[in-house]
Each structure stands twice: as C-alpha cells, then as structure tokens.
Amino acid sequence: MKNPLPITLVTASLIAACSRDRTVSADSTAASASVGQSTAAAPASATAASVTITSPVEGATTGRDVTVTLRSEGVRIAKADGARVEGVGHYHLFLDTLPTTDSLPIPPNSSKVVHIGTGDSTYTFKGVPAGRHRIIAVIGYGSHVPMAGRRDTVDFTVKP
C-alpha cells in the first residue's frame, strides 16, 4: 500500500463512531432496564416464590413421628399477623387432605391441617399411622389465605 494514512483515518473514524453508538446504546439500555425493573420486578419475584419440602423426601420411609422441614424462595417467612402483604407469609401443612383453594382462608389447626404461624420452618406430626401418606405444603399470607401456586407435595410411607 502506497498511502496507509487514509485507511487509518477511515478506520479510526469508524471505530470512534461505533464507540459512541455503543456508549449511547449502553446508556439507553441501562435506562430502559432500570425502568423495566421498577415495573416488572415485582411480578417476576412473585412468580419465583416457592415452597419446598426438604424432609421427608419423596418416597421416604419414616417412623411414626414425622418431622417436616421446609424451605422457601422469593418470599419472606414471618409470624402470622393477620395482614396480607405481598412477598410475606408463613407455612401451612396438609396431611392426607387437599388444601383449600387460593381464594379461601385455610381452616384452623386440626390433626390434618397445621398453621406454622410462628415463622418456623419445621413441624413434627406425632403418631402418624403406618402406611402411605401425603403432605402438601402451602405458603399463606398472614391472613391465612394461600398465596397462589406456592405449594409442594411429598408422598412418603410410615413403617409399621
């Protein structure tokens, strides 16, 4: 090449122009992202909220006293206070019975329905009869109304 200067100038101009475009795009993308986050973050975290029964595990064989251990994600577990606050709730357990629908309050404690309204993540069912059983965990608001879709189910067997 006889005169590399014009090629160098054109290349430098293109690089500078592209750099400016990227800077503007990055700024506008960041601004769009922050705007999007302020309006979309709540539904995304609400959708991600879940409860998991960590013990007993699916298919386990247990003794007559069955300790249920729970874990949640995307929701803060707190004491039941009667309030309905998005993202805050407590655990409920249903032993061998179906949970209430998402719009109805969970019934009071019984041998089959347990409110863990203390904010704890464990509960022990005492003297469960031998045989196959099912536990369904539900996260409910402080008002004891279930959070939509926040459930986990485990089937297990109590040995004779």
Side-chain angles (χ1 to χ4, degrees):
M1 298 191 127
K2 293 182 184 178
N3 195 353
L5 185 60
I7 294 175
T8 303
L9 289 174
V10 169
T11 304
S13 296
L14 287 173
I15 291 172
C18 288
S19 295
R20 275 190 304 250
D21 288 347
R22 283 190 193 134
T23 303
V24 171
S25 292
D27 290 345
S28 61
T29 302
S32 296
S34 68
V35 169
Q37 287 174 351
S38 64
T39 58
S45 65
T47 303
S50 65
V51 58
T52 302
I53 300 170
T54 59
S55 177
V57 297
E58 180 67 29
T61 300
T62 70
R64 294 176 56 88
D65 293 346
V66 180
T67 299
V68 180
T69 306
L70 305 155
R71 181 183 72 233
S72 66
E73 291 184 32
V75 64
R76 183 172 61 87
I77 301 301
K79 290 183 178 183
D81 61 3
R84 182 179 175 132
V85 177
E86 288 303 319
V88 179
H90 63 280
Y91 299 116
H92 300 82
L93 299 174
F94 293 81
L95 177 62
D96 298 329
T97 190
L98 293 175
T100 57
T101 63
D102 288 343
S103 59
L104 296 176
I106 295 168
N109 280 344
S110 69
S111 62
K112 303 277 186 184
V113 178
V114 175
H115 294 257
I116 310 177
T118 59
D120 291 335
S121 61
T122 60
Y123 180 82
T124 301
F125 287 97
K126 302 279 188 181
V128 177
R132 293 199 38 84
H133 297 278
R134 172 174 284 172
I135 294 175
I136 301 172
V138 175
I139 297 178
Y141 296 102
S143 62
H144 303 288
V145 173
M147 292 182 179
R150 298 344 182 245
R151 299 167 187 234
D152 190 27
T153 303
V154 167
D155 294 306
F156 64 99
T157 302
V158 172
K159 60 186 172 190

